[in-house]
Amino acid sequence: MRVELRGITKCFGSLRANDNISLSVPPSTIEGVLGENGAGKSTLMKILSGFYSPDSGDILLDGKKVKIDAPADAIRQGIGMLHQDPQDFPPLKVIDDFILGKKGGLLPNRKNAARDFRELSSRFDFSIDPETYVDSLTVGERQQLEILRLLWLGARILILDEPTTGISLPQKEKLFATLKKLASEGMTILFVSHKLEDVEALCSRATVLRQGKLIGSMEPPFDTRVLVEMMFGKEVPQEPKTQLQVGTTVLSVKHIDLDGIRIQIKGVNLQVRAGEVIGLAGMEGSGQTLFLSACAGLSQPVGGSFCLDEEEKEMTGRTYHEFRKKGVAYLPAARLEQALIPGLSLTEHFILSEGMRGFFIDRKKSEELAKSRISLFNIKGKPESTVESLSGGNQQRALLALMRDPLKLILVEHPTRGLDIESTIYIWGKLKERCARGTAIVFISSDLDEILKYSDRVLVFFAGKVTPPLDANTLSVERLGRLIGGKDWDTLGTEAAHA
Amino acid sequence: MNNSALVTSIAGVLAAAAPILFAVIGETISERAGVLNLSMNGMILLSAMGSFAVALATGSVVLGFLMGAAIGALVSLIVAFASLTLLQSQVAVGFVLALLCRDLSYFLGNPIMGKVGPRISQVPIPGLERIPILGTILFRQDVMTYFSFILIVAAWFFVFRTKPGLTLRGVGERPTAAYIRGANVNRLRYLYAAIGGAIAGLAGPIYSLSIKAGWKGTISGLDGIGWIVLSITIFGGWKPFRAAFGAYLFAFLQWLGLVLQPSLPSVPSQVLQVAPFPLMILTLLFVNIGNAEWVDRSLARLPENVRRDIARVLRAMNATPPAALGAPFEKE
Ligand SMILES: Nc1ncnc2c1ncn2[C@@H]1O[C@H](COP(=O)(O)OP(=O)(O)OP(=O)(O)O)[C@@H](O)[C@H]1O
Ligand SMILES: [Mg+2]
């Protein structure tokens, strides 16, 4: 089905998120939509899926003008969208979430749905149990659930807003194969992503937005340099990998046993030293999040101990509050649910995180603080913008801008999930600056390049098993990929870097 | 107390719990959709008075019950309109309506005070009523008590087993996500507020046309029931069976207060009358204990198998309110 957008304009207050955008996507096409954070990609996709109504402009399907005022209209036209933030129901069972919204019948056919679900998820090597609850899934798994659901609904036009941030390399290859097959069967797919290599591997055309305007399109063979220049209006140089001097031990993890709702981990040992970056790799839900949250006192170990600093401050069984007082910060992946407060402005967030003294709010001082942080972290937003009105990438920047200084240890889930290339380089520059001043970082990422490029040592998680720390300099992408997939584990003993 | 007296008492507790059950299930449905109907207390009084007036005037209990449901639906729709369309606070509007409806029922009910009108009576179910013990407890009740049994199962089935029920839960939990999946959030909220209100409204005529037949104004003893209903809805964790358990527990505690009074002369009678209320709060506390962080921390020290079992029980008992309860939905 041919999808045509004609002269779409959408303003939020004085901001033109989409400015007279016209785009025509022929059937059987996978159209890549590229652009920096805040360029207006999600806004445009939400207009096509009926979530927003455009201020002006038309949507045409197969040349016929259609009226799409609500998502229900779009669904009727066969348009399905994966939203950037998982739009699901945390307290429901996975299978119920899967069924919700499926048309037809008074009684859901749970058995058939569960069978379809299992079949689909094994096709992509996703391992989600339909009988668990959505809130026990990682953000990446919730994205996987949404992808499965949309494929199951059988849309004719599929919009995917950053679908690859939560899945591993082999899973991605399978997903891409399926998308290509669906496209060859006539489906139209719009694929929003920051990963140029994904767009290059998958798309039959790429369109670039910048500051709400359509800059241009490109067909294969893609030239990465040209695409980057279209996205940012300038070239973005790649930073070389840096090696910092490590200092004394900041956190020691001794024989930690953890017992999550879905996964158990036994006997993890790790010494994190000042200035060091440790990457936690693995498929979503292999135990990384459980481990990281335990390092911050957010979940309790059932065996072993945590100590902070050289003087061995025993921290086992302490709360996050106490870890925080000792200079530990935790940045979760579910930005709007766990880390930011929807409804509060950026300024109010800075006031809260700085823990300003006194009873009254010093308006002027906090406004200045907000302004300086916004420019320091290049956030596209105003001090009075509420956090939910920021684009996904800018929410992540805000989160990083909220961290206190100095810190001993930063624990972060997916530090650059959803960030464009320039911001990724920028954010890691900021994090490395902290390392140079003695902060240690432990981070989770499903992006193998990010793991290898920015960590000094790597722990790989697979189904609750954990490798000893591996030296990132001698680890290849292929080998890391195999370890993540559960292969090569028997050869590990010999090459462990000093724990 | 001999056995047959005990059996009759249990049957009495089931009947006394019926109106509370209707109100709690109605409120549960409305809150599942995200609409908090705080007017419950006044609404029950108004529907009790209104339905008795209609039954008295027409001689038809059926019309009386219909009137009760209509009043319930109407009051709920006012709350829904104020919050969903006018974007006013549900708490403020509901609270004001609770007071307004109560005073209105006393004022408008003056002319029918103390009159004797029609009422429904017990309808033993032939055959089944002869089953020893169970027959007396379950099958010698009035129609509305039978319906109350059915209502529990029907509400559970609807909420947890049907597609519209699933959407209902989604709308109260994350309206934006439900909207994205094609639900017309505000229309559904109006619909379930009205249905929940109608069901809750039946509590009034169950009192005034059955268990406390007639209208006695301020001494009807109905004032306060609505507030208990709201707390039992929370106690019930927005789940019909647990809500039913709460309603029965409360009716049982009230009955206990009455029978214990003669045998405990040293305890002031007020203590026994009030005791059910703090007891309900204690149970609420106990039920939600799994939410507390210190429980989590102390559990970590237990041996593995024990810990798993306890964690599972706590998770099952745990109840969180619909996340969007009371919050209006705007799509942009
Ligand atoms: N509901 C809203 N209210 C106000 N401003 C908004 C709203 N939604 C988006 N914006 C603004 O519109 C602009 C475009 O946002 P959009 O989410 O479309 O960007 P994006 O290209 O998807 O970025 P990202 O890559 O970070 O996801 C941003 O500046 C954002 O702050
Ligand atoms: Mg976006």
PDB file of all heavy atoms in Angstrom, chain A residues 50-77:
ATOM      1  N   GLY A  50      -2.250   8.284  13.936  1.00  0.00           N
ATOM      2  CA  GLY A  50      -3.465   8.833  14.523  1.00  0.00           C
ATOM      3  C   GLY A  50      -3.335   9.330  15.938  1.00  0.00           C
ATOM      4  O   GLY A  50      -4.309   9.784  16.535  1.00  0.00           O
ATOM      5  N   PHE A  51      -2.146   9.243  16.513  1.00  0.00           N
ATOM      6  CA  PHE A  51      -2.009   9.668  17.909  1.00  0.00           C
ATOM      7  C   PHE A  51      -2.069  11.185  18.030  1.00  0.00           C
ATOM      8  O   PHE A  51      -2.651  11.720  18.959  1.00  0.00           O
ATOM      9  CB  PHE A  51      -0.701   9.124  18.491  1.00  0.00           C
ATOM     10  CG  PHE A  51      -0.570   9.359  19.958  1.00  0.00           C
ATOM     11  CD1 PHE A  51      -1.288   8.579  20.856  1.00  0.00           C
ATOM     12  CD2 PHE A  51       0.254  10.356  20.447  1.00  0.00           C
ATOM     13  CE1 PHE A  51      -1.183   8.804  22.214  1.00  0.00           C
ATOM     14  CE2 PHE A  51       0.360  10.574  21.818  1.00  0.00           C
ATOM     15  CZ  PHE A  51      -0.354   9.794  22.697  1.00  0.00           C
ATOM     16  N   TYR A  52      -1.438  11.871  17.079  1.00  0.00           N
ATOM     17  CA  TYR A  52      -1.569  13.327  16.999  1.00  0.00           C
ATOM     18  C   TYR A  52      -2.364  13.661  15.753  1.00  0.00           C
ATOM     19  O   TYR A  52      -2.294  12.943  14.763  1.00  0.00           O
ATOM     20  CB  TYR A  52      -0.212  14.003  16.847  1.00  0.00           C
ATOM     21  CG  TYR A  52       0.678  14.011  18.064  1.00  0.00           C
ATOM     22  CD1 TYR A  52       2.058  13.934  17.920  1.00  0.00           C
ATOM     23  CD2 TYR A  52       0.159  14.120  19.344  1.00  0.00           C
ATOM     24  CE1 TYR A  52       2.903  13.954  19.012  1.00  0.00           C
ATOM     25  CE2 TYR A  52       0.992  14.137  20.447  1.00  0.00           C
ATOM     26  CZ  TYR A  52       2.369  14.052  20.284  1.00  0.00           C
ATOM     27  OH  TYR A  52       3.188  14.073  21.358  1.00  0.00           O
ATOM     28  N   SER A  53      -3.106  14.788  15.812  1.00  0.00           N
ATOM     29  CA  SER A  53      -3.713  15.286  14.584  1.00  0.00           C
ATOM     30  C   SER A  53      -2.819  16.400  14.074  1.00  0.00           C
ATOM     31  O   SER A  53      -2.391  17.251  14.851  1.00  0.00           O
ATOM     32  CB  SER A  53      -5.110  15.841  14.848  1.00  0.00           C
ATOM     33  OG  SER A  53      -5.824  14.941  15.648  1.00  0.00           O
ATOM     34  N   PRO A  54      -2.535  16.420  12.768  1.00  0.00           N
ATOM     35  CA  PRO A  54      -1.670  17.488  12.246  1.00  0.00           C
ATOM     36  C   PRO A  54      -2.417  18.816  12.243  1.00  0.00           C
ATOM     37  O   PRO A  54      -3.642  18.842  12.178  1.00  0.00           O
ATOM     38  CB  PRO A  54      -1.374  17.021  10.821  1.00  0.00           C
ATOM     39  CG  PRO A  54      -2.510  16.124  10.464  1.00  0.00           C
ATOM     40  CD  PRO A  54      -2.976  15.484  11.730  1.00  0.00           C
ATOM     41  N   ASP A  55      -1.668  19.932  12.344  1.00  0.00           N
ATOM     42  CA  ASP A  55      -2.303  21.256  12.243  1.00  0.00           C
ATOM     43  C   ASP A  55      -2.775  21.473  10.818  1.00  0.00           C
ATOM     44  O   ASP A  55      -3.814  22.064  10.585  1.00  0.00           O
ATOM     45  CB  ASP A  55      -1.300  22.341  12.631  1.00  0.00           C
ATOM     46  CG  ASP A  55      -0.846  22.186  14.065  1.00  0.00           C
ATOM     47  OD1 ASP A  55      -1.547  21.487  14.819  1.00  0.00           O
ATOM     48  OD2 ASP A  55       0.208  22.737  14.425  1.00  0.00           O
ATOM     49  N   SER A  56      -1.975  20.994   9.858  1.00  0.00           N
ATOM     50  CA  SER A  56      -2.431  21.039   8.467  1.00  0.00           C
ATOM     51  C   SER A  56      -1.745  19.914   7.715  1.00  0.00           C
ATOM     52  O   SER A  56      -0.773  19.340   8.188  1.00  0.00           O
ATOM     53  CB  SER A  56      -2.110  22.397   7.838  1.00  0.00           C
ATOM     54  OG  SER A  56      -0.710  22.571   7.805  1.00  0.00           O
ATOM     55  N   GLY A  57      -2.266  19.604   6.550  1.00  0.00           N
ATOM     56  CA  GLY A  57      -1.690  18.528   5.743  1.00  0.00           C
ATOM     57  C   GLY A  57      -2.619  17.337   5.645  1.00  0.00           C
ATOM     58  O   GLY A  57      -3.581  17.214   6.407  1.00  0.00           O
ATOM     59  N   ASP A  58      -2.337  16.460   4.674  1.00  0.00           N
ATOM     60  CA  ASP A  58      -3.208  15.315   4.411  1.00  0.00           C
ATOM     61  C   ASP A  58      -2.428  14.004   4.435  1.00  0.00           C
ATOM     62  O   ASP A  58      -1.225  13.973   4.198  1.00  0.00           O
ATOM     63  CB  ASP A  58      -3.845  15.442   3.028  1.00  0.00           C
ATOM     64  CG  ASP A  58      -4.748  16.664   2.957  1.00  0.00           C
ATOM     65  OD1 ASP A  58      -5.511  16.867   3.924  1.00  0.00           O
ATOM     66  OD2 ASP A  58      -4.665  17.405   1.958  1.00  0.00           O
ATOM     67  N   ILE A  59      -3.168  12.948   4.719  1.00  0.00           N
ATOM     68  CA  ILE A  59      -2.607  11.603   4.620  1.00  0.00           C
ATOM     69  C   ILE A  59      -3.358  10.874   3.509  1.00  0.00           C
ATOM     70  O   ILE A  59      -4.588  10.869   3.493  1.00  0.00           O
ATOM     71  CB  ILE A  59      -2.771  10.846   5.952  1.00  0.00           C
ATOM     72  CG1 ILE A  59      -2.020  11.589   7.067  1.00  0.00           C
ATOM     73  CG2 ILE A  59      -2.248   9.411   5.828  1.00  0.00           C
ATOM     74  CD1 ILE A  59      -2.321  11.071   8.449  1.00  0.00           C
ATOM     75  N   LEU A  60      -2.624  10.274   2.582  1.00  0.00           N
ATOM     76  CA  LEU A  60      -3.257   9.529   1.499  1.00  0.00           C
ATOM     77  C   LEU A  60      -2.777   8.087   1.507  1.00  0.00           C
ATOM     78  O   LEU A  60      -1.589   7.818   1.664  1.00  0.00           O
ATOM     79  CB  LEU A  60      -2.913  10.152   0.139  1.00  0.00           C
ATOM     80  CG  LEU A  60      -3.532  11.524  -0.184  1.00  0.00           C
ATOM     81  CD1 LEU A  60      -2.708  12.646   0.405  1.00  0.00           C
ATOM     82  CD2 LEU A  60      -3.640  11.707  -1.691  1.00  0.00           C
ATOM     83  N   LEU A  61      -3.708   7.163   1.373  1.00  0.00           N
ATOM     84  CA  LEU A  61      -3.353   5.763   1.254  1.00  0.00           C
ATOM     85  C   LEU A  61      -3.784   5.295  -0.125  1.00  0.00           C
ATOM     86  O   LEU A  61      -4.961   5.436  -0.486  1.00  0.00           O
ATOM     87  CB  LEU A  61      -4.040   4.929   2.336  1.00  0.00           C
ATOM     88  CG  LEU A  61      -3.664   5.276   3.789  1.00  0.00           C
ATOM     89  CD1 LEU A  61      -4.431   4.395   4.755  1.00  0.00           C
ATOM     90  CD2 LEU A  61      -2.176   5.146   4.013  1.00  0.00           C
ATOM     91  N   ASP A  62      -2.845   4.765  -0.906  1.00  0.00           N
ATOM     92  CA  ASP A  62      -3.111   4.357  -2.286  1.00  0.00           C
ATOM     93  C   ASP A  62      -3.799   5.479  -3.054  1.00  0.00           C
ATOM     94  O   ASP A  62      -4.753   5.246  -3.800  1.00  0.00           O
ATOM     95  CB  ASP A  62      -3.987   3.091  -2.318  1.00  0.00           C
ATOM     96  CG  ASP A  62      -3.126   1.839  -2.195  1.00  0.00           C
ATOM     97  OD1 ASP A  62      -1.904   1.945  -2.451  1.00  0.00           O
ATOM     98  OD2 ASP A  62      -3.668   0.789  -1.842  1.00  0.00           O
ATOM     99  N   GLY A  63      -3.337   6.704  -2.823  1.00  0.00           N
ATOM    100  CA  GLY A  63      -3.860   7.838  -3.558  1.00  0.00           C
ATOM    101  C   GLY A  63      -5.165   8.411  -3.038  1.00  0.00           C
ATOM    102  O   GLY A  63      -5.608   9.448  -3.505  1.00  0.00           O
ATOM    103  N   LYS A  64      -5.800   7.732  -2.065  1.00  0.00           N
ATOM    104  CA  LYS A  64      -7.083   8.245  -1.541  1.00  0.00           C
ATOM    105  C   LYS A  64      -6.854   8.948  -0.215  1.00  0.00           C
ATOM    106  O   LYS A  64      -6.171   8.419   0.671  1.00  0.00           O
ATOM    107  CB  LYS A  64      -8.063   7.078  -1.349  1.00  0.00           C
ATOM    108  CG  LYS A  64      -8.978   6.883  -2.545  1.00  0.00           C
ATOM    109  CD  LYS A  64     -10.283   6.226  -2.183  1.00  0.00           C
ATOM    110  CE  LYS A  64     -10.236   4.770  -1.836  1.00  0.00           C
ATOM    111  NZ  LYS A  64      -9.778   3.796  -2.812  1.00  0.00           N
ATOM    112  N   LYS A  65      -7.452  10.133  -0.098  1.00  0.00           N
ATOM    113  CA  LYS A  65      -7.320  10.881   1.149  1.00  0.00           C
ATOM    114  C   LYS A  65      -8.076  10.154   2.268  1.00  0.00           C
ATOM    115  O   LYS A  65      -9.217   9.755   2.080  1.00  0.00           O
ATOM    116  CB  LYS A  65      -7.912  12.279   0.951  1.00  0.00           C
ATOM    117  CG  LYS A  65      -7.158  13.348   1.711  1.00  0.00           C
ATOM    118  CD  LYS A  65      -7.563  14.718   1.223  1.00  0.00           C
ATOM    119  CE  LYS A  65      -8.325  15.413   2.329  1.00  0.00           C
ATOM    120  NZ  LYS A  65      -8.630  16.801   1.985  1.00  0.00           N
ATOM    121  N   VAL A  66      -7.427   9.950   3.394  1.00  0.00           N
ATOM    122  CA  VAL A  66      -8.121   9.294   4.507  1.00  0.00           C
ATOM    123  C   VAL A  66      -8.120  10.213   5.723  1.00  0.00           C
ATOM    124  O   VAL A  66      -7.248  11.056   5.879  1.00  0.00           O
ATOM    125  CB  VAL A  66      -7.449   7.955   4.896  1.00  0.00           C
ATOM    126  CG1 VAL A  66      -7.690   6.912   3.840  1.00  0.00           C
ATOM    127  CG2 VAL A  66      -5.970   8.133   5.155  1.00  0.00           C
ATOM    128  N   LYS A  67      -9.153  10.013   6.538  1.00  0.00           N
ATOM    129  CA  LYS A  67      -9.272  10.826   7.739  1.00  0.00           C
ATOM    130  C   LYS A  67      -8.798   9.974   8.916  1.00  0.00           C
ATOM    131  O   LYS A  67      -9.383   8.947   9.230  1.00  0.00           O
ATOM    132  CB  LYS A  67     -10.735  11.208   7.928  1.00  0.00           C
ATOM    133  CG  LYS A  67     -10.946  12.601   8.473  1.00  0.00           C
ATOM    134  CD  LYS A  67     -12.393  13.016   8.279  1.00  0.00           C
ATOM    135  CE  LYS A  67     -13.110  13.164   9.619  1.00  0.00           C
ATOM    136  NZ  LYS A  67     -12.603  14.231  10.480  1.00  0.00           N
ATOM    137  N   ILE A  68      -7.711  10.390   9.518  1.00  0.00           N
ATOM    138  CA  ILE A  68      -7.208   9.642  10.673  1.00  0.00           C
ATOM    139  C   ILE A  68      -7.190  10.580  11.870  1.00  0.00           C
ATOM    140  O   ILE A  68      -6.318  11.426  12.007  1.00  0.00           O
ATOM    141  CB  ILE A  68      -5.795   9.079  10.393  1.00  0.00           C
ATOM    142  CG1 ILE A  68      -5.872   8.075   9.237  1.00  0.00           C
ATOM    143  CG2 ILE A  68      -5.239   8.400  11.627  1.00  0.00           C
ATOM    144  CD1 ILE A  68      -4.557   7.446   8.868  1.00  0.00           C
ATOM    145  N   ASP A  69      -8.223  10.453  12.719  1.00  0.00           N
ATOM    146  CA  ASP A  69      -8.348  11.361  13.857  1.00  0.00           C
ATOM    147  C   ASP A  69      -7.925  10.719  15.162  1.00  0.00           C
ATOM    148  O   ASP A  69      -7.693  11.384  16.150  1.00  0.00           O
ATOM    149  CB  ASP A  69      -9.806  11.829  14.000  1.00  0.00           C
ATOM    150  CG  ASP A  69     -10.159  12.835  12.925  1.00  0.00           C
ATOM    151  OD1 ASP A  69      -9.217  13.503  12.446  1.00  0.00           O
ATOM    152  OD2 ASP A  69     -11.344  12.937  12.561  1.00  0.00           O
ATOM    153  N   ALA A  70      -7.890   9.390  15.170  1.00  0.00           N
ATOM    154  CA  ALA A  70      -7.561   8.686  16.411  1.00  0.00           C
ATOM    155  C   ALA A  70      -6.864   7.391  16.015  1.00  0.00           C
ATOM    156  O   ALA A  70      -7.022   6.922  14.889  1.00  0.00           O
ATOM    157  CB  ALA A  70      -8.833   8.381  17.201  1.00  0.00           C
ATOM    158  N   PRO A  71      -6.107   6.801  16.942  1.00  0.00           N
ATOM    159  CA  PRO A  71      -5.446   5.540  16.613  1.00  0.00           C
ATOM    160  C   PRO A  71      -6.431   4.491  16.096  1.00  0.00           C
ATOM    161  O   PRO A  71      -6.077   3.690  15.225  1.00  0.00           O
ATOM    162  CB  PRO A  71      -4.840   5.112  17.941  1.00  0.00           C
ATOM    163  CG  PRO A  71      -4.591   6.387  18.663  1.00  0.00           C
ATOM    164  CD  PRO A  71      -5.714   7.295  18.274  1.00  0.00           C
ATOM    165  N   ALA A  72      -7.681   4.540  16.591  1.00  0.00           N
ATOM    166  CA  ALA A  72      -8.666   3.562  16.138  1.00  0.00           C
ATOM    167  C   ALA A  72      -8.857   3.635  14.621  1.00  0.00           C
ATOM    168  O   ALA A  72      -8.980   2.610  13.955  1.00  0.00           O
ATOM    169  CB  ALA A  72      -9.994   3.783  16.865  1.00  0.00           C
ATOM    170  N   ASP A  73      -8.854   4.874  14.070  1.00  0.00           N
ATOM    171  CA  ASP A  73      -8.985   5.041  12.615  1.00  0.00           C
ATOM    172  C   ASP A  73      -7.791   4.426  11.901  1.00  0.00           C
ATOM    173  O   ASP A  73      -7.943   3.763  10.869  1.00  0.00           O
ATOM    174  CB  ASP A  73      -9.058   6.535  12.239  1.00  0.00           C
ATOM    175  CG  ASP A  73     -10.249   7.217  12.877  1.00  0.00           C
ATOM    176  OD1 ASP A  73     -11.254   6.525  13.118  1.00  0.00           O
ATOM    177  OD2 ASP A  73     -10.163   8.429  13.145  1.00  0.00           O
ATOM    178  N   ALA A  74      -6.595   4.686  12.441  1.00  0.00           N
ATOM    179  CA  ALA A  74      -5.382   4.166  11.806  1.00  0.00           C
ATOM    180  C   ALA A  74      -5.389   2.642  11.828  1.00  0.00           C
ATOM    181  O   ALA A  74      -5.040   1.998  10.841  1.00  0.00           O
ATOM    182  CB  ALA A  74      -4.156   4.710  12.529  1.00  0.00           C
ATOM    183  N   ILE A  75      -5.806   2.072  12.946  1.00  0.00           N
ATOM    184  CA  ILE A  75      -5.850   0.611  13.054  1.00  0.00           C
ATOM    185  C   ILE A  75      -6.796   0.046  12.001  1.00  0.00           C
ATOM    186  O   ILE A  75      -6.508  -0.946  11.340  1.00  0.00           O
ATOM    187  CB  ILE A  75      -6.282   0.191  14.469  1.00  0.00           C
ATOM    188  CG1 ILE A  75      -5.201   0.577  15.486  1.00  0.00           C
ATOM    189  CG2 ILE A  75      -6.559  -1.314  14.545  1.00  0.00           C
ATOM    190  CD1 ILE A  75      -5.629   0.463  16.922  1.00  0.00           C
ATOM    191  N   ARG A  76      -7.942   0.729  11.818  1.00  0.00           N
ATOM    192  CA  ARG A  76      -8.898   0.290  10.812  1.00  0.00           C
ATOM    193  C   ARG A  76      -8.291   0.312   9.417  1.00  0.00           C
ATOM    194  O   ARG A  76      -8.625  -0.516   8.573  1.00  0.00           O
ATOM    195  CB  ARG A  76     -10.143   1.197  10.871  1.00  0.00           C
ATOM    196  CG  ARG A  76     -11.446   0.429  10.720  1.00  0.00           C
ATOM    197  CD  ARG A  76     -12.632   1.301  11.081  1.00  0.00           C
ATOM    198  NE  ARG A  76     -12.668   1.634  12.497  1.00  0.00           N
ATOM    199  CZ  ARG A  76     -12.795   2.879  12.982  1.00  0.00           C
ATOM    200  NH1 ARG A  76     -12.884   3.905  12.163  1.00  0.00           N
ATOM    201  NH2 ARG A  76     -12.825   3.087  14.275  1.00  0.00           N
ATOM    202  N   GLN A  77      -7.370   1.258   9.190  1.00  0.00           N
ATOM    203  CA  GLN A  77      -6.707   1.324   7.879  1.00  0.00           C
ATOM    204  C   GLN A  77      -5.545   0.348   7.774  1.00  0.00           C
ATOM    205  O   GLN A  77      -4.861   0.303   6.754  1.00  0.00           O
ATOM    206  CB  GLN A  77      -6.173   2.738   7.629  1.00  0.00           C
ATOM    207  CG  GLN A  77      -7.231   3.822   7.638  1.00  0.00           C
ATOM    208  CD  GLN A  77      -8.070   3.809   6.375  1.00  0.00           C
ATOM    209  OE1 GLN A  77      -7.791   3.067   5.438  1.00  0.00           O
ATOM    210  NE2 GLN A  77      -9.127   4.604   6.348  1.00  0.00           N
TER     211      GLN A  77
END
